[in-house]
Amino acid sequence: MSTNTIPNLENPDEATLVVIVDDDGAVRSALNSLLRSVGYKVEAFGAPKELMQKGIPETASCLVLDVRLPLISGLDFQRQLAEANHRIPIVFMTGHGDIPMSVKAMKAGAIDFLPKPFRDQDMLDAVAMAIERDRTRRLNEAGLEELRRRLESLSKREREIMAFATAGLMNKQIAGELSLSEVTVKIHRGHVMQKMGARSFAELVRIAEALGVRPPASSSS
């Protein structure tokens, strides 16, 4: 069994995706050319509705979104995405932006807010930051899902011992809590370390914290 706590699930051959939503065809075309010139895959849409019909991508990605759109503002679309639990990072662009609008967008989680006309490098920098944030989030979530699967592989007794041990109880105390011998507790702890892929007890403690593993509230400590 692998001992990596967080598996490396990234495919280096898979190009990251930038999604553009702007009702101005010339802007979409210019951005498409710019982003493809540095190796990004690009999908461009004239309205948020078109994007939602296609679906939010399931790969590392970001959304380059115009603030001023005919039927729904970019800020309202940002809110709708958040309410639907779509966490694609957003780079806003606008020809009519002001400070309050920018602050509102950034407080809601936007990566950047670029006034038109923007420098190509500013856009590339913002997109790179957004892609990296999305990639990190996806890898972290995938890692947690793997840890949950490993936790599911533990027996009920192993989970109990993991909870007590990572809460700071010594083997003798755990043995008393569960009416076991210390030798049995040691054996189970070894199984827990192996199944959870923990290379040290400190790492097992971090895993337990990430997964919310804790002993029953009624147990003594």
Side-chain angles (χ1 to χ4, degrees):
M1 176 182 295
S2 170
T3 58
N4 291 330
T5 301
I6 305 297
N8 181 6
L9 302 181
E10 188 173 356
N11 179 359
D13 295 325
E14 181 181 6
T16 49
L17 176 64
V18 181
V19 179
I20 302 166
V21 176
D22 194 310
D23 60 320
D24 187 327
V27 172
R28 293 199 305 273
S29 179
L31 279 172
N32 194 325
S33 297
L34 171 65
L35 294 164
R36 288 184 182 277
S37 73
V38 295
Y40 290 116
K41 291 173 61 178
V42 180
E43 292 184 358
F45 303 92
K49 181 179 179 180
E50 297 175 17
L51 168 58
M52 298 310 294
Q53 288 173 341
K54 175 70 180 293
I56 301 298
E58 293 299 327
T59 186
S61 55
C62 81
L63 171 60
V64 178
L65 178 62
D66 190 26
V67 168
R68 306 277 182 172
L69 295 168
L71 299 179
I72 178 175
S73 75
L75 295 178
D76 285 340
F77 185 48
Q78 179 190 34
R79 177 181 52 78
Q80 289 183 7
L81 288 172
E83 289 173 352
N85 201 32
H86 292 307
R87 288 177 285 173
I88 183 170
I90 299 175
V91 175
F92 276 106
M93 53 185 176
T94 180
H96 310 278
D98 55 17
I99 292 177
M101 187 182 295
S102 174
V103 170
K104 183 177 180 180
M106 300 298 282
K107 282 186 175 180
I111 299 297
D112 210 338
F113 195 96
L114 302 178
K116 298 176 182 176
F118 44 78
R119 295 192 314 124
D120 287 354
Q121 192 59 53
D122 289 341
M123 175 60 72
L124 293 176
D125 289 345
V127 166
M129 183 184 301
I131 290 288
E132 184 58 31
R133 180 176 297 185
D134 198 45
R135 179 185 289 113
T136 299
R137 175 185 66 81
R138 290 174 182 275
L139 289 173
N140 287 341
E141 289 179 354
L144 280 175
E145 184 59 33
E146 171 62 18
L147 291 178
R148 292 188 188 102
R149 286 195 291 268
R150 294 179 187 180
L151 185 65
E152 288 294 321
S153 75
L154 300 185
S155 67
K156 180 176 182 294
R157 182 66 78 201
E158 288 166 347
R159 287 196 202 187
E160 291 173 338
I161 289 174
M162 176 179 173
F164 283 122
T166 56
L169 273 67
M170 305 298 290
N171 287 346
K172 183 177 181 178
Q173 294 172 300
I174 298 172
E177 288 280 353
L178 301 176
S179 300
L180 300 172
S181 70
E182 284 189 64
V183 171
T184 299
V185 171
K186 288 179 181 179
I187 292 172
H188 281 307
R189 281 184 64 155
H191 292 164
V192 169
M193 293 286 290
Q194 182 181 24
K195 289 183 178 181
M196 295 306 299
R199 291 161 290 190
S200 67
F201 181 68
E203 185 173 12
L204 185 67
V205 171
R206 290 193 294 270
I207 291 171
E209 182 65 25
L211 296 176
V213 174
R214 288 171 177 76
S218 59
S219 299
S220 61
S221 56

